[in-house]
Structures are given as structure tokens and as C-alpha cells.
Amino acid sequence: MKVEAIELHRLAIPLVRPFETSFGRQTGRDVLLVKVLTDIGEGWGECVAMADPFYSSEYVAGCEDVIRSYLAPALLGAGEVGAEAASALFSGVIGHRMAKATLETALLDAQLRAAETSFGGYFGATRDHVECGVSVGISPTIEQLLDEVQGYVAQGYRRIKLKIKPGWDLAPVAAVRELIGDLPLQVDANTAYTIDDIPHLRELDAFDLLLIEQPFVEEDIRSHIALAAAIETPVCLDESIVDAALAIDAIERGATSIVNIKAGRVGGYLEAVRVHDACLAREVPVWCGGMLETGIGRAANIALAALPGFTLPGDTSASDRYFAEDLTEPFVLENGTLAVPTGPGSGVTVRDELVAAWATRPVETLRG
Ligand code: SMG
Ligand code: MG
């Protein structure tokens, strides 16, 4: 295909309830969408970066700038290009994986819509529904946390993930474990601990957790190896896994025995499939992470989560977990699962009127 123009859309979308992690509290999403206009049709991509560089070094305004200044000009000047060629085309730019993933996904959407192939079909999905978990933020009180968790259990979620940080870990985990009986439970620290906390983190072994996710900083593989050797609860990396080679290295060194796959973090869905394949070959279970995506990103995540190595429920919750109204037709929980879209490309239709209504500034159109 040939990319004729790239539209940058910037939106503000309120969350149905605040979401608090070890690094901050969020009440809305600052969303960057890209739409590629090509000679074979259009495609959408959603940038998963957060408004601030607190989860990872990338952030929305930075992604927008790197797309505008580097990635879009490369694509608009490339002539004939397929989604599979995007990462090589962008390879001169170091890092900025979430920005690269946004454009690659839009290209893939346009390409697969034209080919009448779904994301799931293209990725190699083997299921038509995926099991869903839900990520639960840090609460003002344990009572409020239990109330929120109870609501998700009642909706049918198959697994609960609790955000933890120093001072909000053993007590809330104990209370939730008591509330939910043997429903699968896991925790995510978003890098809030240090190697000195290993004796404390070992106390989590009492709660029969599926895993503990990313206790230490992204670059600190060594401390994760030490924790994995000291604790019975499996250690799972999120922020640290930025590509398939790193996943293989972390697995072989004993830093992670389960992997959270997020396409944005690894530079796109094509690399995400490679991470999946590498883990499957090593019998390491994977699950699909989430970045509070709207229906646009959620559709692609659900297609990814339908691959055979995704044996644990993902952070692939229903649209109403975060949004009163979604940018696409809503994803609705069915017996704790979501249906994998089957239509061409992402399989969802972007609601142009909502994109316009929630815009925080006029659409910017980039041309070669
Ligand atoms: O999409 O349900 C979702 C969010 C899941 O907890 C979630 N994501 O570290 O895994 C993670 C976080 C990153 C975003 S926190 C603002
Ligand atoms: Mg995480």
C-alpha cells in the first residue's frame, strides 16, 4: 500500500472511576489516535502511552512528537510499504516503541481490511473467546477495595489483579483472598520495591497468588532473578520486556517464569507475536496486558490474547471497566470472556462522532 496521509487525533476520555497505581492516580485518558489514509483504504492505531512518563519513559505528547517529526515522514516518503516493513523503516529511531506500535497497528488495520482478514486470523488466533481478568487500583480503604472487587466478581471476571506498593500489599491481598476464595489472584507493583524488600515480598507466598508482576525497576533484571530464587510465587515481568530477545534473556536467566505481553511496550503486534512464540517454545505461559485501551486498542489485544500461548486471563476487561461510552461498539463480558472480533482488520468500527466530540484540538493531517 502507499500511505497518502496520516491524521493525528488527540482526545480526552473520562474514566468511570479513578485508577491508582504505585506511580499515580488517573481520572481520565489522554488518547492519541492515528489514522492512516492509504491507496487501499484506512486504518486506525491507538497509542497506549500514558499522559506522563511514569509507567515507562514514553508519554503521549512525546509519542506524538516522534511520530510527527520522524516516523510519519519516514512512512510518507517510503512509497509502497506493508505493515511488516514498518519496524525496519523506523529502526533508525531508537526506542519509542509505543509510538512505532501506533503506526504499525494502523498500517496493519488498513492492510488487513483491504485483504478481508481479521487481526486474529493474521496473528494465528486459535480461540473465539478469551478469558478476562480485571486490574484493580489502589483504594483509599480496604473496605472500598473489597466493594470494588466484589462488583467485578459478580460481573464474572475470571481473575483479579491488585495493584500493590509498599504500605498497600499484605493487608489488602489478605482481605481480597478471603473475599474471593479460590478465584485466581495476582499482584502488580509497577516497580515500587527494591531488592531489600525481598523478605517482605516473600510473605505474599501465603496467599496462593498466580504471580507477582514487576516488583523492581525495568532495567533491574538481577533483583528479579534474586526474588524468583527466594519466593514460591512466580515472578512475571511487564515493564522490563521490551522485545522478544529481552524476553528470552530474562527467561533463560531465571528472572521471569510468566510474561505479560503488551504490544505497545514491545513496538507493535508483530513483535508481540514473536514474544508469544518465544515463550510458547520455552513453555512459559503468557497473558495479555492492558493500558486502559479504548475499543480500538482493546480489539487488537483480544485478537492477540486468542493465540495458543495465552493460557492465563489477561487485563482484557470489558469496555465498561473504564468507559461509560467506548470509541467503538462496546466489548461486553460474556461469562467472564470477550468474543474475539472476526471482521476485517481490528474488526471494530470507530465512532467518528465520539472522536470529534472528545477531541481536545483540531485534527492534524500530515502529508508527504
Ligand atoms: O487496561 O486494564 C487495563 C490496565 C491494566 O494494570 C494495568 N496496566 O502495569 O500492567 C500494568 C498497568 C499499566 C497501566 S497503569 C496506568
Ligand atoms: Mg503491569
Side-chain angles (χ1 to χ4, degrees):
M1 76 192 119
K2 178 146 181 26
V3 180
E4 289 157 355
I6 298 171
E7 292 178 3
L8 304 180
H9 298 255
R10 194 84 177 260
L11 282 58
I13 311 183
L15 300 183
V16 292
R17 67 202 314 164
F19 186 56
E20 184 171 330
T21 64
S22 60
F23 59 82
R25 187 168 188 268
Q26 179 172 1
T27 55
R29 261 204 77 206
D30 175 352
V31 180
L32 169 67
L33 300 176
V34 304
K35 183 181 185 181
V36 293
L37 311 175
T38 82
D39 58 342
I40 59 167
E42 300 170 355
W44 285 94
E46 174 176 349
C47 180
V48 300
M50 297 288 145
D52 304 298
F54 301 160
Y55 162 83
S56 67
S57 62
E58 289 189 86
Y59 63 108
V60 188
C63 288
E64 187 174 73
D65 188 61
V66 86
I67 289 172
R68 182 189 296 116
S69 305
Y70 299 98
L71 307 179
L75 201 51
L76 289 162
E80 251 330 284
V81 68
E84 297 81 358
S87 70
L89 192 65
F90 299 153
S91 64
V93 172
I94 307 301
H96 294 284
R97 291 177 176 87
M98 293 177 183
K100 292 173 179 176
T102 310
L103 276 176
E104 187 196 83
T105 308
L107 288 175
L108 200 57
D109 188 34
Q111 181 172 319
L112 296 183
R113 281 178 195 270
E116 297 195 355
T117 303
S118 66
F119 275 13
Y122 179 85
F123 296 155
T126 53
R127 287 189 282 265
D128 56 12
H129 284 75
V130 302
E131 284 200 301
C132 300
V134 60
S135 176
V136 185
I138 292 166
S139 251
T141 64
I142 289 189
E143 204 180 12
Q144 280 167 268
L145 175 73
L146 294 180
D147 199 50
E148 185 177 349
V149 169
Q150 182 56 53
Y152 296 134
V153 172
Q155 287 172 42
Y157 283 104
R158 303 267 179 109
R159 165 288 258 161
I160 302 293
K161 161 167 138 179
L162 297 183
K163 291 292 191 178
I164 59 167
K165 66 175 182 181
W168 182 263
D169 47 27
L170 303 177
V173 171
V176 169
R177 172 49 86 206
E178 195 179 323
L179 175 76
I180 69 175
D182 57 8
L183 193 73
L185 178 64
Q186 62 191 54
V187 294
D188 185 3
N190 288 109
T191 77
Y193 295 89
T194 72
I195 194 163
D196 295 336
D197 294 312
I198 288 181
H200 178 71
L201 292 172
R202 284 185 62 183
E203 295 187 47
L204 289 168
D205 276 343
F207 307 110
D208 192 24
L209 302 178
L210 274 181
L211 57 91
I212 174 171
E213 184 178 345
Q214 197 76 39
F216 312 126
V217 297
E218 184 176 323
E219 297 81 4
D220 187 3
I221 300 298
R222 183 175 156 269
S223 296
H224 288 100
I225 296 170
L227 177 66
I231 198 170
E232 274 171 37
T233 303
V235 175
C236 168
L237 292 179
D238 171 1
E239 285 90 330
S240 297
I241 305 297
V242 297
D243 59 25
L246 216 137
I248 293 167
D249 186 50
I251 291 164
E252 290 181 350
R253 291 163 66 194
T256 191
S257 55
I258 296 176
V259 172
N260 168 330
I261 301 185
K262 288 179 183 164
R265 200 189 61 228
V266 302
Y269 286 90
L270 304 181
E271 185 68 11
V273 171
R274 287 189 281 271
V275 176
H276 161 271
D277 294 349
C279 291
L280 188 59
R282 289 163 181 78
E283 296 180 6
V284 168
V286 303
W287 56 282
C288 185
M291 294 292 284
L292 298 87
E293 288 89 347
T294 73
I296 299 173
R298 197 163 296 273
N301 283 348
I302 292 158
L304 180 70
L307 268 64
F310 286 82
T311 52
L312 294 170
D315 283 344
T316 47
S317 41
S319 296
D320 69 0
R321 158 70 183 89
Y322 292 111
F323 310 112
E325 259 197 293
D326 209 335
L327 283 181
T328 62
E329 53 275 46
F331 283 91
V332 179
L333 212 59
E334 303 165 23
N335 187 26
T337 71
L338 287 180
V340 180
T342 54
S346 68
V348 288
T349 305
V350 177
R351 296 172 63 186
D352 291 318
E353 79 286 2
L354 276 187
V355 172
W358 288 338
T360 50
R361 51 128 226 254
V363 182
E364 181 178 342
T365 304
L366 310 170
R367 293 179 196 279

